[in-house]
Amino acid sequence: MLFKELAGYYDRLSSISSRLEMIDVMAEVFKSASKDEIKPIIYITQGILVPPFEGVEFGMAEKTIEDAIAFSTGISKEAVEKEYRKLGDIGLAAEEIKKKGNIKRLADRPLTVSEFYEKMLEIAKMSGKGSKDAKVKALSYIISESTPEEAKYATKYPMNALRLGLGDATMLEALSVAFCGDRKSKEKLEAAYNLCNDLALVGDTLAKKGIRAIDGFEVSLFKPVRPALAERLPTAEQIMEKMGGRAAAEQKYDGFRCQLHMGARKVKIFSRRLEDTTEMFPDLAEAVLREVKAESVILDGEALAYNEETEEFLPFQQTIQRKRKHGIAEKALEMPLHLFVFDILFLNGKDMMKMPYEERRHFIEKLLKNCEIIKPSTMIMVSKPKELEEFFENSIENGLEGVVVKDPKSSYIAGARKFSWIKMKRSYKGELSDTVDLVVVGYYRGKGMRSEFGFGGLLCAAYNEKKDMFETVSRIGSGFTEEQMVQLRKALEKDKTDNKPVRVDSLIKPDFWVYPKYIVTVKADEITRSPTHTCGKEKLNNGTEAGFALRFPRLVGEEAIRKDKGTEDATTTKEISEMYRNQKRVSIEEA
Ligand code: ATP
């Protein structure tokens, strides 16, 4: 496939307003490509070069791309910048300049998708002294070989600003339509994706080896598995009932989720978003090599600063100081971490994920018996609500966040929030017991005192997994510090758009729409029914239609934007609706 053709498809995708249509167009792309082109097409469409955990980034700032446009078209940098400002999009600016300039393309034949991808990968891998100039030259060469339409996407790609609005679910459905004839195989593809976290690898396997190879997908060392997640329930009774009367209760540590892979004397540690964070935790990498006697292993756990002398767990605000780029070794000495291991996914070449929790736990305890830094999480078996409550209170007293209750018979369910894990956090009377993580889909210009910040609040949405859409649930106008307002405006300004993004479902029109990209953590007093929001919208008994809204929402957390979660990790519509039902149940029980 020629890159020109792919650019044509992207133009089509940009003008579509229905997700189903997007699936069809993307399926058409896959069908018209050769098998070898599926992988590069998926990476380009996702705006990445390799799976996120391999950590290869373009390393090109806005200015570098502007320089490349100037260099390749012979116009001044100032003129490029002016065009960019006018159009608000680097790709449109490049396209416009190429059109106006009427510059003949230099290449004797157009680039194929694979050639384009390889060239971009080469640019990304340039590093060290003089690499900035080399990157400008290489990208400008691509731009001069391009038509205006190709130039548009060749400049948007390194800025991760393709903005096609295609989520993982849409891509998986498109692959299913293209190679299996309908959308039904999406679930199987998703299961494989959950094991390798590499959409392009799933697509490549499907195209080359068919759906049977997808069925046989297994976890493998140094490819992070998408993490299992917990559901919520408000009371110990409800949890015990859901668990069928017997459950494992573990302390809930508030630190960094770490998925640790070790094999052949090599260690990699992945974050909750499955980015490679090995360099941030030299103490843990060293400890696992020293303490854990296994040929190969994948452990799932939470890393936390812990004071051994006082036996105190340090609060998250302290642990977070370990998240840094410089002075890592010094901080590791000053604030050593412990890894509390709560799951094992792989041991000595064997996939453990299908084994029941109780058996996996047995392996963890045996393997970590004499370890000091890498320890099993504290766990007790409970069979009565009262026992669970006591353990919960005890955990809170010890400075922990709460408990996670687990079904002893369950396998490790990658990438999903299921009732095999249920979290219970401290609940404040009259307040929602947990915060929610929402996707920013719009923002407001500030009025009155806030006009000086150019920021007045956010329009936020929950993620509807079934529809793969973002549905509004709250306008948030409080909880921001002045610094946060400035930080939010700066970030959001770059991603604002005149039209409502395709996957956003909203009845409200904010001052500016924003491409779904940023997550904020929000606390509220209650969830109420509301006709103005689309989250969980349905016909009520009284014949009216209503969704859910947060009452008295406010931003929480030191950092306004939550960096450890992507848009599809946001609180889901289903969770909001469950929280609504639970809160009703609690207030009835209290009454
Ligand atoms: P939260 O903001 O509450 O941590 P989350 O969306 O990151 O939520 P949840 O699925 O809601 O994740 O809760 C599980 C999280 O709790 C895990 O991601 C992990 O980081 C943390 N955790 C701490 N202790 C445990 C434990 N013993 N078992 C499982 N998860 C634990």
Side-chain angles (χ1 to χ4, degrees), residues 227-232 249-258 272 300-303 340-343 357 361 377-378 400-406 416-417 421 423 425 434-435 437 521 562 564-565 569 571 575:
L229 297 169
E231 279 281 359
R232 311 176 173 78
E250 295 188 22
Q251 289 184 325
K252 188 174 194 298
Y253 306 90
D254 194 12
F256 304 114
R257 178 127 186 205
C258 287
R272 186 189 188 288
D300 193 2
E302 192 90 355
F340 294 93
V341 174
F342 48 74
D343 229 310
Y357 167 90
R361 179 76 200 185
S377 58
T378 300
L400 293 155
E401 222 193 350
V403 297
V404 185
V405 189
K406 300 181 177 177
R417 207 175 275 287
W421 285 17
K423 63 176 168 178
K425 289 196 194 172
D434 202 0
T435 54
D437 298 313
T521 300
R562 202 169 160 162
D564 63 337
K565 287 195 177 179
D569 299 316
T571 301
E575 286 177 86

Side-chain angles (χ1 to χ4, degrees), residues 449-466:
M449 283 205 348
R450 286 199 178 167
S451 56
E452 70 172 290
F453 302 108
F455 177 84
L458 302 169
L459 177 64
C460 290
Y463 177 51
N464 185 323
E465 284 173 299
K466 269 217 181 111

Side-chain angles (χ1 to χ4, degrees), residues 122 138 271 304 411 417 448 464 515 517 562 584 588:
E122 257 172 50
S271 68
L304 192 66
S411 52
R417 207 175 275 287
N464 185 323
Y515 287 102
K517 176 169 170 188
R562 202 169 160 162
K584 264 172 88 177
I588 292 167

